[in-house]
Amino acid sequence: MLGNTVSPTPTGKTRGARRTPRLLAALALVGALSAGQAAFSWAGETAPHGNPAPTQATSPFTGLPAEPAPVLAVKIDNHKGARPQTALEDADIVFVEKVEGGLSRLLGLYSSKLPAAVGPVRSAREYNIEQLRMFGRPALAYSGARAEVVDMINASTLYGVSHEDFPDAYYRGTDHEAPHNLYGYADKILQEAPEAGTSDDIGFRFADDAPAGGTPTTERAVDYGAATTSFTWSAEEDRWLTSFDDAPATSSDGDRLGGKTIVVQKVAMPPDSSGETPYEETVGTGSATVLRDGQAYETTWDRPTAEAGTTFTQANGEPMTFDRGQVWVVYEEAT
């Protein structure tokens, strides 16, 4: 079992002087979180002498209590031989991405919780570099990539922590056959990215109550040709349950996977520089369907630059608010 694996002593490469410390913005003490407020807020009572009583900060990725923490992005295998995956349930955000052959690949975004192990870890793609810029300077865990993509990652502001360069941050498990059995020690990966950026506003807005104007919906699926990701609303669990290729998606502990908010974001997918892999264009604008509380909302997404966050706006011009909890973002090809 993964939990019984003995951690090796990390001895991987160290990074050079190209890393510049990232200054953290001061957090303001404010009231309850609203759509237009900063990424973190304190919603506390009034303490003696009229001073506000600070309470726990709020994650800009889930809307739940969490202190600012380093951001770790992990490329996760979604081949049938890689399921069930480990620690997807701990991710703040799960991205579902189309790759060559009409298959799907996952990207788990971790900050609020840091699992002991995560995976199976697989290769990075060219579009991940631009996609992840909205998280500032996250650590990116991956195993393998085209030589040109590795060069792009190393030249970017991301902290690329690959299995090839930092083998002691990874291990081979016994639950799946190779190549679907490579896992990363999350803490050791972040040790190789000591100045990784912390969680900050990426455009998501959260509210306890769903906005008006939604359409009652119980199911939504995205088909890549050779892989399908679908979601079914569970009123009992108050979340959307995930399935891969029409089979219930579960964690390695046997728990059903699912999210409180599902975003089906329509993006262009031209070939990347290899001519073989789709390049998800996440900078620009387009349409997106947001699922929450058993309802679907047609929205417009907008991300003006690679450094900017992605906002979602309802037809009435109001920000689309997500339910608090894990968010799944599924890229669907715009037609």
Side-chain angles (χ1 to χ4, degrees):
M1 296 297 292
L2 298 182
N4 296 327
T5 302
V6 177
S7 302
T9 301
T11 59
K13 297 181 182 178
T14 59
R15 295 287 180 175
R18 72 180 180 88
R19 293 178 173 177
T20 303
R22 186 173 184 267
L23 298 180
L24 299 178
L27 301 177
L29 292 179
V30 295
L33 185 66
S34 66
Q37 287 179 307
F40 291 97
S41 66
W42 286 264
E45 301 174 355
T46 300
H49 311 296
N51 295 321
T55 58
Q56 194 171 17
T58 302
S59 167
F61 304 155
T62 67
L64 294 173
E67 297 294 332
V71 177
L72 170 63
V74 184
K75 290 292 297 192
I76 297 177
D77 199 349
N78 198 30
H79 186 276
K80 291 181 180 179
R83 302 170 191 161
Q85 294 92 344
T86 295
L88 268 181
E89 67 276 16
D90 293 327
D92 290 336
I93 308 170
V94 178
F95 293 91
V96 182
E97 307 166 355
K98 184 178 181 180
V99 293
E100 57 276 2
L103 295 171
S104 63
R105 185 68 52 89
L106 307 176
L107 186 145
L109 201 290
Y110 299 83
S111 182
S112 300
K113 299 177 182 178
L114 194 64
V118 59
V121 180
R122 289 302 298 272
S123 55
R125 295 294 186 272
E126 186 176 335
Y127 59 80
N128 293 133
I129 301 168
E130 182 176 76
Q131 172 198 28
L132 289 171
R133 284 294 291 116
M134 69 177 177
F135 294 97
R137 197 178 188 191
L140 171 61
Y142 69 99
S143 175
R146 290 189 295 114
E148 296 82 359
V149 174
V150 174
D151 290 342
M152 292 177 189
I153 293 173
N154 290 337
S156 76
T157 57
L158 307 180
Y159 271 107
V161 185
S162 69
H163 171 237
E164 290 72 23
D165 287 342
F166 301 92
D168 291 330
Y170 297 84
Y171 69 94
R172 292 285 178 183
T174 58
D175 52 346
H176 302 307
E177 295 183 359
H180 312 296
N181 64 346
L182 181 68
Y183 297 86
Y185 295 110
D187 59 345
K188 293 188 177 184
I189 293 169
L190 284 178
Q191 286 176 14
E192 304 298 346
E195 296 165 10
T198 56
S199 45
D200 205 347
D201 188 0
I202 59 167
F204 291 0
R205 296 295 178 260
F206 297 89
D208 293 330
D209 297 325
T215 301
T217 302
T218 57
E219 295 183 348
R220 182 67 160 85
V222 176
D223 188 351
Y224 289 160
T228 301
T229 304
S230 56
F231 303 91
T232 302
W233 172 248
S234 171
E236 180 180 0
E237 296 192 25
D238 190 31
R239 63 180 183 135
W240 298 87
L241 303 180
T242 306
S243 294
F244 295 133
D245 302 324
D246 299 321
T250 61
S251 70
S252 56
D253 291 332
D255 297 328
R256 187 71 183 271
L257 298 177
K260 296 286 282 187
T261 302
I262 311 299
V263 179
V264 179
Q265 184 177 345
K266 290 184 177 293
V267 301
M269 295 185 184
D272 69 1
S273 61
S274 72
E276 300 176 354
T277 299
Y279 187 103
E280 272 90 315
E281 293 187 350
T282 58
V283 173
T285 189
S287 61
T289 302
V290 177
L291 308 177
R292 65 160 294 178
D293 296 286
Q295 300 181 79
Y297 299 82
E298 298 308 318
T299 70
T300 298
W301 68 267
D302 184 66
R303 184 184 175 201
T305 67
E307 293 74 24
T310 305
T311 59
F312 296 87
T313 305
Q314 301 177 70
N316 62 5
E318 294 294 320
M320 178 64 210
T321 52
F322 296 177
D323 198 1
R324 302 183 194 278
Q326 189 181 68
V327 176
W328 285 62
V329 179
V330 186
Y331 296 126
E332 184 175 50
E333 188 167 9
T335 57

